[in-house]
Amino acid sequence: MVRITLVQGDITAEKADVIVNAANSSLLGGGGVDGAVHRRGGPEILAACRALRASRYGKGLATGQAVATTAGRLQAGHVVHTVGPVWSREEDRSALLASCYRESLRVADELGARTVAFPAISTGVYGWPIDDGARIAVETVRASGTAVEEVRFVLFDERAYAAFEARLA
Ligand code: ADP
């Protein structure tokens, strides 16, 4: 059974086999977690993302999918980039958000990772309500059947931390 832990802070300061990036489909950087990953991880990560765009991911990474690169200077073996859905009031995109967690763990399993750090995907610029984002994250990880030993949710602020804490209790 995977152990779920919570930390409040900056995910780019974490030590883990895999750090998950809340990327956008271009894979070429953005704000929030994505900006921090590239800033602190250094240019090797962007170079690896460019190489992906030049090969298998010519059109970018689809929403709900995940792909691994080097972690550059981060204290991690790999960064797994995943693209969360933008929150919509009209359309239920929950399955895509669940897919981000599931696919990231599938890639982490392929890499033999024992520890994986996740941000609260889609709950920043993409506008997903934090309570629902926490629910989907925790439910999906619990149901995943991953071989990963520890999934660590790294929450940027107190509100996000409280939402995950309530969901775990
Ligand atoms: P998205 O575009 O998927 O919404 P964001 O990066 O904008 O992604 O935000 C996702 C979540 O990560 C938000 O809850 C945001 O507050 C949080 N966040 C932003 N920067 C960091 C960071 N450096 N470490 C951990 N969490 C972060």
Side-chain angles (χ1 to χ4, degrees):
M1 236 331 227
V2 58
R3 186 159 50 96
I4 297 179
T5 57
L6 305 182
V7 169
Q8 192 183 327
D10 178 348
I11 195 168
T12 65
E14 289 296 310
K15 244 186 233 171
D17 295 328
V18 163
I19 289 176
V20 176
N21 179 22
N24 60 59
S25 65
S26 80
L27 290 175
L28 300 179
V33 174
D34 205 9
V37 161
H38 287 289
R39 233 176 0 258
R40 191 151 176 170
E44 295 89 351
I45 301 175
L46 191 56
C49 288
R50 288 218 170 91
L52 288 173
R53 285 299 306 272
S55 54
R56 221 186 121 186
Y57 296 94
K59 291 179 180 163
L61 184 64
T63 304
Q65 299 298 109
V67 66
T69 66
T70 172
R73 297 169 198 164
L74 298 180
Q75 300 180 83
H78 295 86
V79 168
V80 168
H81 307 264
T82 189
V83 182
V86 175
W87 163 259
S88 164
R89 206 174 272 286
E90 292 77 37
E91 193 187 1
D92 181 8
R93 298 177 179 165
S94 306
L96 285 169
L97 184 54
S99 176
C100 288
Y101 289 100
R102 207 164 35 239
E103 286 299 302
S104 296
L105 287 172
R106 190 183 57 74
V107 173
D109 281 333
E110 281 174 10
L111 295 167
R114 291 192 297 186
T115 54
V116 177
F118 275 102
I121 299 164
S122 287
T123 66
V125 174
Y126 284 0
W128 207 286
I130 188 67
D131 292 326
D132 198 54
R135 175 186 66 80
I136 292 168
V138 170
E139 282 178 0
T140 307
V141 168
R142 280 183 173 152
S144 67
T146 180
V148 167
E149 289 167 16
E150 181 195 357
V151 164
R152 191 182 312 146
F153 290 109
V154 184
L155 295 325
F156 209 41
D157 55 32
E158 225 162 277
R159 194 158 164 257
Y161 186 95
F164 275 74
E165 202 177 30
R167 185 46 66 174
L168 278 186

